[in-house]
């Protein structure tokens, strides 16, 4: 019996008109960055968009007229228009001329604009395609931000259709990445989550092109980008890093406290035979030894990964290799998917589809092994003092946050008691860990 094929939905398209000063442009870029990290695409024309955002300027009467005209064009060309920016501070002026606009928000109200977009055209989430978790589809709070360094992918993993949907790797020039990072940090972001389909391949397509940055030349290369990001004074967390040999180079940056001691490496499997069927990049052989070396250099290193169980052709022996890898590698955080046949993925043609009940059984056994490992690793944190970034504080002594080991939305939390009332979102404080369960930690500020 073969599993039903999974349709991948098409990303909604946003039109963006940005008027006014450089500050308004920065706002537009922030909105676009957020929407892009949530899986939205952009349209160069009003007609091709599902909704159009007009970021207005209201500084002079002539600028107001220009803004009203731009809104009029968008209504004519598309009909579904969200207005933001300086003119949004006086909504009646817009409503009196253009009563049909869907929403009006004021300057720097990124959250409201993005929420209005969610309402007008809900994002489509697909765990096989999206980089940001479903729970992360709300606008990220101001203290952390996703920073996308490239689009597309040069690999051809057989279970994945991203290269078909999004094309080959297109890396952003490194000064664009660094400029955006610096802007985000200047706007109060305390933690940057670096995302792409294949973060360690960054720059391959543009031959590691150099860009001028702060009087120096920086290469569009994984290590060089990490080194420059490490100078920004914010937490830098690396996601979707494939275990190419040059990943070893960033371990010293972690040891020096420049970037977070955290690696999100989607191993997907550990049996060389299954990995070959998956056509995965990176070499899994000796990876457990490499992980040991990384941990010798950076004892607090956290490794998160994802795996697929029940891939076509996976035998019980392959699965046992995977379980043994979990026991050897002692990964901190792990997610697992049961294989799903995505429409258009070459893996559907591979012989030996695994029956659903076997997939479920392997999934349950996988999770049982890993939960024990994750829980034991959390227990070792009891009694330690860790840096914790505050996600929410109620002003009455309660708060929660995350240690360097926890990415937002996908990892655990640190729940706090007796927090000083002036501690607020985005603060980074020292916390004595008093307790742990399977996922989360509990502690008190010191
Ligand atoms: S590395 Fe593989 S799984 Fe990841 S996007 Fe590229 S082809 Fe897909």
């Amino acid at each position: 019996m073969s599993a039903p094929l999974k349709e991948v939905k098409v990303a909604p398209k946003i039109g963006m008109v940005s008027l006014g000063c450089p500050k308004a442009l920065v706002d537009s870029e922030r909105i676009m960055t957020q929407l892009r990290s949530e899986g939205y695409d952009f349209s160069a024309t009003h007609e091709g968009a599902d909704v159009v955002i007009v970021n207005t300027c209201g500084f002079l009467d002539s600028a107001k007229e220009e803004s009203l005209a731009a809104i009029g064009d968008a209504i004519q060309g598309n009909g579904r228009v969200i207005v933001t920016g300086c003119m949004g501070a006086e909504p009646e002026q817009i409503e009196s001329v253009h009563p049909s606009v869907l929403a009006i928000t004021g300057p720097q109200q990124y959250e409201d604009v993005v929420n209005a977009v969610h309402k007008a055209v809900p994002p489509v989430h697909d765990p096989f395609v999206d980089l940001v978790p479903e729970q992360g589809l709300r606008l990220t709070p101001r203290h952390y931000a996703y920073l996308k360094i490239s689009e597309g992918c040069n690999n051809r993993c057989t279970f994945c259709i991203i290269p078909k949907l999004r094309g080959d790797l297109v890396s952003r020039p490194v000064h664009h990445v660094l400029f955006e990072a610096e802007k985000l940090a200047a706007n109060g972001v305390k933690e940057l989550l670096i995302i792409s389909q294949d973060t360690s391949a960054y720059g391959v397509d543009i031959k590691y092109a150099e860009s001028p940055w702060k009087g120096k030349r920086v290469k569009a290369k994984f290590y060089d980008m990490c080194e420059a990001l490490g100078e920004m004074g914010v937490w830098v967390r690396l996601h979707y890093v494939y275990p190419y040999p040059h990943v070893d180079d960033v371990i010293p940056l972690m040891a020096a406290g420049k970037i977070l001691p955290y690696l999100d490496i989607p191993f997907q499997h550990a049996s060389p035979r299954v990995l070959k069927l998956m056509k995965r990049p990176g070499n899994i052989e000796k990876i457990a030894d490499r992980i040991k070396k990384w941990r010798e250099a950076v004892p607090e290193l956290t490794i998160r990964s994802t795996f697929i169980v029940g891939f076509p052709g996976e035998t019980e022996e392959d699965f046992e290799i995977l379980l043994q890898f979990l026991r050897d590698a002692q990964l901190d955080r792990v997610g697992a998917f049961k294989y799903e046949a995505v429409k258009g993925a070459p893996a559907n043609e591979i012989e030996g589809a695994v029956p659903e009940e076997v997939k479920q059984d392997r999934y349950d056994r996988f999770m049982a092994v890993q939960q024990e490992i994750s829980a034991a690793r959390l227990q070792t944190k009891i009694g330690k003092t860790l840096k914790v970034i505050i996600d929410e504080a109620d002003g009455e002594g309660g708060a929660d946050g995350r240690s360097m080991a926890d990415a937002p939305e996908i990892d655990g939390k640190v729940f706090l008691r007796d927090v000083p009332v002036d501690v607020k979102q985005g603060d980074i404080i020292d916390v004595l860990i008093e307790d742990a369960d399977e996922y989360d930690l509990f502690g008190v500020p010191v």
Side-chain angles (χ1 to χ4, degrees):
M1 189 183 66
S2 61
L5 295 185
K6 189 175 177 299
E7 290 277 4
V8 172
K9 301 156 207 142
V10 177
K13 283 201 165 74
I14 310 295
M16 184 92 205
V17 180
S18 190
L19 304 167
C21 65
K23 262 194 276 166
L25 188 66
V26 169
D27 289 350
S28 295
E29 286 175 358
R30 176 100 208 251
I31 294 164
M32 291 173 79
T33 303
Q34 182 60 37
L35 292 172
R36 197 167 56 158
S37 73
E38 294 180 359
Y40 286 91
D41 263 347
F42 294 99
S43 165
T45 62
H46 289 333
E47 292 73 18
D50 293 296
V51 69
V52 177
I53 302 170
V54 182
N55 191 1
T56 57
C57 175
F59 185 53
L60 297 169
D61 281 351
S62 58
K64 284 184 186 167
E65 271 166 35
E66 192 193 353
S67 294
L68 289 172
I71 297 167
D73 284 349
I75 290 175
Q76 214 180 15
N78 185 286
R80 293 160 64 76
V81 178
I82 293 166
V83 179
T84 186
C86 293
M87 243 194 118
E90 298 162 299
E92 30 336 304
Q93 289 194 26
I94 299 166
E95 279 159 352
S96 62
V97 184
H98 299 300
S100 66
V101 295
L102 299 178
I104 302 175
T105 67
Q108 280 154 21
Q109 292 176 347
Y110 323 115
E111 292 90 343
D112 294 344
V113 185
V114 175
N115 285 337
V117 172
H118 291 169
K119 239 182 171 175
V121 243
V124 289
H125 180 71
D126 191 320
F128 282 84
V129 174
D130 290 350
L131 292 167
V132 178
E134 189 164 19
Q135 315 85 289
L137 287 175
R138 65 192 169 80
L139 183 63
T140 53
R142 282 166 188 254
H143 65 297
Y144 64 80
Y146 294 96
L147 178 58
K148 201 169 191 179
I149 59 170
S150 59
E151 292 283 356
C153 181
N154 282 349
N155 301 311
R156 295 292 181 264
C157 303
T158 51
F159 55 82
C160 177
I161 56 160
I162 282 174
K164 269 194 202 157
L165 289 180
R166 306 217 168 138
D168 280 342
L169 180 74
V170 179
S171 300
R172 296 175 66 194
V174 69
H175 61 297
H176 287 200
V177 172
L178 297 176
F179 182 70
E180 184 178 335
E182 200 175 57
K183 234 169 30 188
L184 289 167
N187 279 331
V189 165
K190 300 283 171 53
E191 178 177 0
L192 293 171
L193 305 145
I194 309 303
I195 56 170
S196 72
Q197 305 296 346
D198 183 356
T199 295
S200 31
Y202 173 65
V204 171
D205 55 310
I206 50 174
K207 303 200 168 53
Y208 308 121
E210 280 188 354
S211 303
W213 179 251
K214 303 211 177 272
K216 286 195 286 191
R217 312 240 356 129
V218 179
K219 279 189 189 155
K221 216 171 177 180
F222 179 56
Y223 173 83
D224 305 65
M225 175 190 68
C226 290
E227 189 184 35
L229 288 171
E231 297 301 320
M232 304 235 170
V234 296
W235 283 11
V236 176
R237 194 182 292 283
L238 301 177
H239 287 281
Y240 313 106
V241 175
Y242 292 78
Y244 306 124
H246 66 271
V247 170
D248 297 13
D249 300 345
V250 299
I251 300 296
L253 292 176
M254 295 180 180
K258 298 285 185 188
I259 61 174
L260 290 183
Y262 183 98
L263 279 174
D264 176 1
I265 308 181
F267 290 116
Q268 307 300 13
H269 214 283
S271 153
R273 207 183 65 81
V274 176
L275 286 165
K276 210 166 160 201
L277 290 173
M278 289 179 167
K279 290 213 179 129
R280 289 291 291 165
N283 185 358
I284 195 86
E285 315 265 337
K286 310 219 175 76
I287 191 72
D289 291 342
R290 275 172 78 199
I291 290 174
K292 262 185 211 132
K293 285 205 183 103
W294 295 343
R295 286 201 172 121
E296 273 160 30
V298 186
E300 66 280 21
L301 177 65
T302 297
I303 302 177
R304 142 167 285 279
S305 191
T306 47
F307 292 87
I308 296 173
V309 295
F311 188 77
E314 181 193 65
T315 62
E316 180 59 26
E317 197 187 338
D318 294 318
F319 182 67
E320 287 294 340
I321 293 174
L322 175 56
L323 291 186
Q324 191 52 45
F325 173 74
L326 290 184
R327 294 185 193 104
D328 292 343
Q330 294 283 306
L331 307 176
D332 298 87
R333 306 277 190 186
V334 167
F337 292 100
K338 284 174 276 174
Y339 175 75
E340 256 184 65
V342 175
K343 197 174 175 189
N348 304 335
E349 310 304 322
I350 297 173
E351 298 212 340
V354 177
E356 284 305 313
E357 56 281 12
V358 177
K359 274 188 210 168
Q360 184 63 45
D361 173 66
R362 288 183 187 163
Y363 176 86
D364 294 342
R365 286 156 66 202
F366 177 100
M367 291 313 278
V369 169
Q370 182 56 40
Q371 268 159 9
E372 221 170 273
I373 294 168
S374 295
R377 292 190 68 79
L378 280 184
Q379 288 292 319
T380 64
K381 307 207 171 177
I382 297 174
K384 288 189 178 153
T385 298
L386 304 180
K387 295 252 177 257
V388 169
I389 187 163
I390 301 296
D391 287 325
E392 277 182 56
D394 62 12
E396 295 175 8
D400 63 66
R402 291 169 292 106
S403 73
M404 293 184 182
D406 309 307
E409 311 292 344
I410 49 174
D411 293 329
K413 281 178 172 286
V414 185
F415 292 97
L416 305 176
R417 66 175 177 89
D418 298 340
V419 178
V421 290
D422 59 341
V423 167
K424 54 186 188 319
Q425 188 182 64
D427 286 351
I428 295 175
I429 60 171
D430 286 323
V431 171
L432 174 68
I433 302 302
E434 299 175 311
D435 202 359
D437 62 19
E438 285 134 66
Y439 297 104
D440 301 312
L441 298 171
F442 302 85
V444 64
V446 288

